Amino acid sequence: MAGVSIHIAPEMMKVTPVDEAEMKATRMKRRVYDILSKAAQKPADRKVHMLCVWFCADCCCCTCSQQARQLHLHFLRSPRAVKDSGSGHVAGLELETNALQTSSDQTSQTAVGTGQMQSVAAQLVLESIGYKSHPIEGAPFDDKHGIIPNK
């Protein structure tokens, strides 16, 4: 993304032997890791205005610059509640921190809630979970792949 500085806490990018096994078994997981690693290493164009996503003031992975757009990616979080401002508008999210639990055969991991909660101020919440879509009436849909084709 041109003009955007992407920040990911270094501990989130550490690769364990189980991570390696998953990435070896699934090309998509390796590709996502490679894209995120590369994006987090690129400097931003410092001539643009700041757009800070997530909770920049409490970010653990950098000190934000007012000179660049900032995108902070925080992993291992699950939304538990959308907070209401009292006037029917979104005020924030309540998130639960997750930990990765390794399978008994040491080949995969599952995110499991830790009970540790975190509040994040927000004015907009978008739902985007998973890789498969559902058909929308009138829109083209690929049933085999569960996607709306982008042609």
Side-chain angles (χ1 to χ4, degrees):
M1 285 191 269
V4 177
S5 181
I6 298 174
H7 300 276
I8 302 171
E11 62 271 12
M12 289 287 110
M13 298 307 291
K14 289 182 182 172
V15 178
T16 67
V18 178
D19 294 329
E20 275 298 337
E22 285 185 311
M23 288 190 283
K24 187 175 182 179
T26 309
R27 182 178 177 272
M28 180 186 67
K29 288 183 181 184
R30 168 57 73 182
R31 183 73 178 127
V32 169
Y33 177 81
D34 291 344
I35 289 169
L36 290 174
S37 295
K38 184 177 177 182
Q41 293 172 7
K42 283 187 174 182
D45 173 1
R46 299 290 174 191
K47 297 178 183 173
V48 295
H49 299 290
M50 180 177 173
L51 169 65
C52 197
V53 177
W54 209 266
F55 46 104
C56 189
D58 300 326
C59 183
C60 59
C61 56
C62 77
T63 303
C64 281
S65 162
Q66 299 251 341
Q67 313 285 271
R69 292 181 186 184
Q70 305 281 326
L71 176 62
H72 296 260
L73 300 176
H74 296 265
F75 301 101
L76 295 173
R77 305 289 189 275
S78 293
R80 294 295 177 231
V82 176
K83 294 182 175 185
D84 187 314
S85 65
S87 61
H89 296 95
V90 172
L93 286 173
E94 188 73 22
L95 304 172
E96 182 177 13
T97 301
N98 297 315
L100 291 175
Q101 187 174 55
T102 304
S103 65
S104 58
D105 63 1
Q106 303 286 307
T107 60
S108 64
Q109 301 172 101
T110 303
V112 178
T114 64
Q116 180 184 356
M117 302 304 280
Q118 178 179 26
S119 292
V120 177
Q123 295 176 332
L124 175 68
V125 176
L126 303 173
E127 181 181 5
S128 179
I129 299 173
Y131 296 99
K132 300 238 178 199
S133 298
H134 299 286
I136 298 173
E137 189 175 326
F141 189 74
D142 181 337
D143 286 314
K144 180 180 176 186
H145 295 103
I147 63 170
I148 297 171
N150 184 13
K151 294 181 183 176

